[in-house]
Amino acid sequence: MKTHYFIAGMVLGLIGMSACGNQKQTQETPVEAVATWDNYPVGHIVFDDQAPQTEGSKIYHRIVTDPQSYIAEQARAVLATLYDSPNDSIVPVDTIHYSLEDIDGISAKGGGNGVVSIFYSTRHIEKSFAQNDTAKLFFETRGVLLHELTHAYQLEPQGIGNYGNSRVFWAFIEGMADAVRVANGGFTADARPKGGNYMDGYRTAGYFFVWLRDNKDKEFLRKFNRSTLEVVPWSFNGGIKYALGDQYDIDELWHEYQVAVSDIQETK
């Protein structure tokens, strides 16, 4: 399982509030979809503030007054994005240890076998609150949490190694985590990286995956997640064909996407 790895390039912003009222956001998971998960056991949430003396801790508690309920709410948004219903084959999560820690970095997920640990850096909280913008910090906090909770509940590729030794595995895992964040309105409108390749993972892959959902199949993210159970050994092309059909090719879709978002110009 993945241990502590840091999220790079997190973009701060605001959704649904005045600071970004003029920016178009990717559609969030519908409320009715999340509602179907109301009674799903997301796991016992243990909140542990290991840095109560820091300014970041004090700021966090001002914006999140009930951490357990807040984390559970975001967990259900993640589940509604990754799965069709609570009857699917879902990664079992028994316990989520969520901690505030006075360390460098942003946030990371560790653990496995039903026991997940996630830390959130109080130093990052302080940096994110440098302009005393509570809404901006709340937006960032939610986005980071969506990413890490995806790591707790997402399915993983089989037959191709693991997070540490397979770039394909890594790109899928980090790409899907940012795809869930994108799909739930967790980035500002200017956060999409230009160019690159889906093998770059994170936002580069995440925005691509959401584009496939929006333009090819509204169930794409769920089908792509489920492909890891059905396509063994897993590959990007195999996952694409499982989700969209044998007529599709991952590299051709990437090219189509790059043209659609104007990152490249179609040659005549």
Side-chain angles (χ1 to χ4, degrees), residues 170-192:
W170 172 87
F172 173 86
I173 292 296
E174 295 298 352
M176 284 295 286
D178 268 1
V180 171
R181 182 172 177 176
V182 173
N184 286 278
F187 285 113
T188 53
D190 59 350
R192 185 188 67 82

Side-chain angles (χ1 to χ4, degrees), residues 41-183:
V42 297
H44 177 57
I45 298 170
V46 179
F47 179 77
D48 180 18
D49 187 349
Q50 297 182 15
Q53 76 285 355
T54 64
E55 188 62 24
S57 168
K58 297 172 185 176
I59 296 167
Y60 180 89
H61 286 287
R62 289 205 297 268
I63 67 169
V64 181
T65 57
D66 185 352
Q68 286 89 347
S69 295
Y70 182 70
I71 293 166
E73 177 186 358
Q74 304 314 313
R76 291 188 169 94
V78 168
L79 287 162
T81 308
L82 288 174
Y83 298 97
D84 289 316
S85 79
N87 296 321
D88 285 353
S89 297
I90 300 170
V91 176
V93 175
D94 299 320
T95 304
I96 298 175
H97 290 277
Y98 188 87
S99 61
L100 299 181
E101 299 183 25
D102 183 14
I103 55 178
D104 289 331
I106 299 176
S107 185
K109 175 262 181 185
N113 298 319
V115 179
V116 171
S117 62
I118 297 172
F119 82 79
Y120 191 28
S121 168
T122 57
R123 298 179 191 179
H124 180 68
I125 293 171
E126 292 166 16
K127 291 177 183 177
S128 300
F129 195 63
Q131 297 177 337
N132 296 321
D133 190 334
T134 300
K136 186 176 181 180
L137 173 61
F138 190 79
F139 182 83
E140 168 73 351
T141 296
R142 176 176 177 267
V144 170
L145 182 57
L146 287 167
H147 179 108
E148 298 303 347
L149 286 171
T150 300
H151 288 326
Y153 296 105
Q154 70 187 140
L155 296 169
E156 299 184 344
Q158 301 179 72
I160 60 168
N162 56 46
Y163 184 91
N165 63 25
S166 169
R167 184 168 178 81
V168 171
F169 190 111
W170 172 87
F172 173 86
I173 292 296
E174 295 298 352
M176 284 295 286
D178 268 1
V180 171
R181 182 172 177 176
V182 173

